[in-house]
Amino acid sequence: MSSSEAPKTWLSQDAHDRLQAELDELIAARPSVAAEINARREEGDLRENGGYHAAREEQSKQEGRIQYLKEFLRNAEVGEVQKAESIQPGSVVTIYFDDDKTDTETFLLGSREIASTTDLTVYSPESALGKAILGSGAGQTVTYTAPSGADIKVTVVEFGPFEG
């Protein structure tokens, strides 16, 4: 998927700043990781050099995370979610399951990258539940198919913008 086709993800300014700081740290650490690889390379036979292979693996993980964060931040919408007429990414949603009004769950509909900035459970708008409630309003009941194959009925109790 090209960046022009990638779905937009809503992020609070705090979450964006935290991810940008992580990206900046990873980029700043590139020279030290490269130096570690060079130091391990000097230890001898690369076929039996566990330190060298570990350093290369760490570099690969770091570069993957850098590329992911660059693309993620490029496609993120930053700001505060405004009060909406229906559930949108960035909404805090309370639902109840089936017809049991005591079986409720409150969660944030948004990017999993924002999960570390809140105590709320975060569901992606692309998840089965997220797709089902997106665009719904308070009092509406929707049914979705869980990954297990079970059909689950939920009713939206209330929703509002994430203040996190």
Side-chain angles (χ1 to χ4, degrees), residues 47-58:
R47 289 175 293 171
E48 297 178 15
N49 188 333
Y52 170 78
H53 293 290
R56 289 292 307 229
E57 186 174 326
E58 185 60 33

Side-chain angles (χ1 to χ4, degrees), residues 9 16 20 24 31 33 43 66 68 74-75 77 82 89-90 98 102 105 119 123 127 142 148:
T9 301
H16 181 273
Q20 185 64 53
D24 294 344
V33 172
E43 291 176 355
I66 287 170
Y68 171 79
R74 184 178 304 119
N75 291 303
E77 289 186 34
Q82 303 299 314
D98 296 316
T102 64
E105 182 176 5
D119 292 333
Y123 289 105
S127 69
V142 297
S148 66

Side-chain angles (χ1 to χ4, degrees), residues 12-31:
S12 67
Q13 188 64 53
D14 287 344
H16 181 273
D17 292 347
R18 180 184 53 80
L19 293 171
Q20 185 64 53
E22 179 186 350
L23 176 60
D24 294 344
E25 263 181 49
L26 289 169
I27 290 171
R30 278 176 165 165

Side-chain angles (χ1 to χ4, degrees), residues 37-54:
I37 290 170
N38 286 335
R40 297 296 177 201
R41 184 179 294 129
E42 299 298 321
E43 291 176 355
D45 187 0
L46 296 182
R47 289 175 293 171
E48 297 178 15
N49 188 333
Y52 170 78
H53 293 290

Side-chain angles (χ1 to χ4, degrees), residues 95-105 129 139-144 150-157:
I95 59 171
Y96 65 83
F97 294 90
D98 296 316
D99 293 317
D100 183 357
K101 292 183 180 185
T102 64
D103 186 10
T104 65
E105 182 176 5
L129 173 58
Q140 286 189 282
T141 300
V142 297
T143 302
Y144 69 96
D151 285 336
I152 299 174
K153 182 170 82 169
V154 298
T155 301
V156 176
V157 177

Side-chain angles (χ1 to χ4, degrees), residues 10 80-84 90-92 108 159-164:
W10 173 86
E80 300 304 318
V81 175
Q82 303 299 314
K83 180 76 173 147
S91 298
V92 175
L108 172 62
F159 67 95
F162 177 60
E163 302 293 334

